[in-house]
Amino acid sequence: MALGLLNLILAGCFSAALAQYFDSSALYSPLWGESPGQLNDYRLENGKFTINPQVFTNRMGMYKNLLTQTAKYSEKFAPANEQNFLWGLPLFYGCQYKLGILADPSRRTRCSYRSRNHLCISVDSYWGDKDFYLYVLPLFAAADSGILGISSDQVMLLPPPKHEMSTSYHVSGCQSSFPEIMENWSSFYQYIESTSSKFIDFLKYYWNAQTKSLEYPATVFKDM
């Protein structure tokens, strides 16, 4: 499973988005209003904002925080944060939720958005694991760049109940494990903070960071 499947998922998401274009309820990702809008909405534990990545709204809140904190930089291109390229991340994530691919693929548990446990993201979901590179690394790079207004050691993730050693859960760990991807996201944030930033270059920096975030898991999970 690699980038070919990713393209199919993206095509499905975009088709669904077009079909619902005139539906006002589709303007935001699922459970957008219920997701944390600021880091203070997460649990504070030992001076760190602690996020449970296996809860759908917790992950969505990470995107929501990124969009909120970068809104002032996109105002030069369009009002109301409309031209912020980071919108693509929660929209793609929300589409995965609606397609049911974040659920338990074995169906041995009730981890599914159509069940009472609808906020659960299965630790056995291929996409739930792969998304790590598209929600954690952008957030941690933003914290490290000062975009979030906190120090880089003030935010961390709770490890999942399995696969504990497969990912990093704090900024320094990600810097050590994924230096190139983190650097690409940091470069994106540094550029948008520049007063001389241009829309086309804004897009280039974002596209480079997002592409690097997808290329790495495509090689790691190629046999899945």
Side-chain angles (χ1 to χ4, degrees):
M1 190 179 292
L3 288 177
L5 180 55
L6 172 62
N7 290 333
L8 290 176
I9 297 294
L10 285 171
C13 289
F14 290 145
S15 296
L18 287 174
Q20 299 177 349
Y21 185 79
F22 294 105
D23 179 2
S24 60
S25 66
L27 293 177
Y28 293 98
S29 294
L31 301 173
W32 182 259
E34 293 85 348
S35 300
Q38 54 187 351
L39 287 175
N40 287 333
D41 293 331
Y42 289 104
R43 188 173 77 228
L44 189 63
E45 187 174 298
N46 297 321
K48 301 179 186 293
F49 296 105
T50 305
I51 302 170
N52 185 346
Q54 301 310 124
V55 176
F56 178 82
T57 48
N58 271 214
R59 287 196 192 186
M60 185 63 78
M62 296 166 77
Y63 292 133
K64 196 172 183 179
N65 273 270
L66 282 177
L67 281 157
T68 299
Q69 296 302 319
T70 56
K72 61 183 178 182
Y73 303 116
S74 67
E75 287 177 354
K76 68 180 75 175
F77 306 122
N81 212 16
E82 292 175 356
Q83 293 293 339
N84 194 328
F85 292 109
L86 292 171
W87 276 115
L89 300 179
L91 291 174
F92 180 46
Y93 174 52
C95 183
Q96 292 177 332
Y97 174 76
K98 289 190 286 187
L99 289 174
I101 58 178
L102 300 176
D104 181 356
S106 71
R107 298 187 179 182
R108 288 193 294 266
T109 69
R110 293 184 178 276
C111 186
S112 168
Y113 88 103
R114 292 186 181 277
S115 71
R116 291 183 179 179
N117 198 15
H118 65 286
L119 296 182
C120 167
I121 298 177
S122 174
V123 293
D124 294 315
S125 165
Y126 167 82
W127 289 100
D129 289 341
K130 186 173 180 177
D131 279 349
F132 170 84
Y133 304 90
L134 272 179
Y135 71 86
V136 175
L137 301 186
L139 184 87
F140 281 177
D144 193 48
S145 300
I147 292 287
L148 299 183
I150 60 172
S151 65
S152 60
D153 63 351
Q154 282 186 278
V155 60
M156 66 172 291
L157 301 183
L158 289 176
K162 59 190 293 190
H163 310 316
E164 292 92 343
M165 301 305 294
S166 62
T167 54
S168 298
Y169 306 104
H170 46 79
V171 173
S172 60
C174 286
Q175 287 174 327
S176 176
S177 300
F178 317 106
E180 183 180 2
I181 304 176
M182 288 285 284
E183 178 59 31
N184 278 282
W185 281 109
S186 294
S187 295
F188 167 71
Y189 295 127
Q190 289 168 12
Y191 184 75
I192 64 174
E193 287 183 290
S194 171
T195 56
S196 60
S197 58
K198 299 179 180 178
F199 184 81
I200 187 63
D201 291 327
F202 189 10
L203 172 59
K204 289 178 181 177
Y205 275 91
Y206 170 75
W207 185 250
N208 187 48
Q210 184 186 40
T211 300
K212 293 297 183 184
S213 292
L214 290 171
E215 286 177 350
Y216 182 82
T219 60
V220 173
F221 303 130
K222 61 183 178 182
D223 295 325
M224 293 182 67

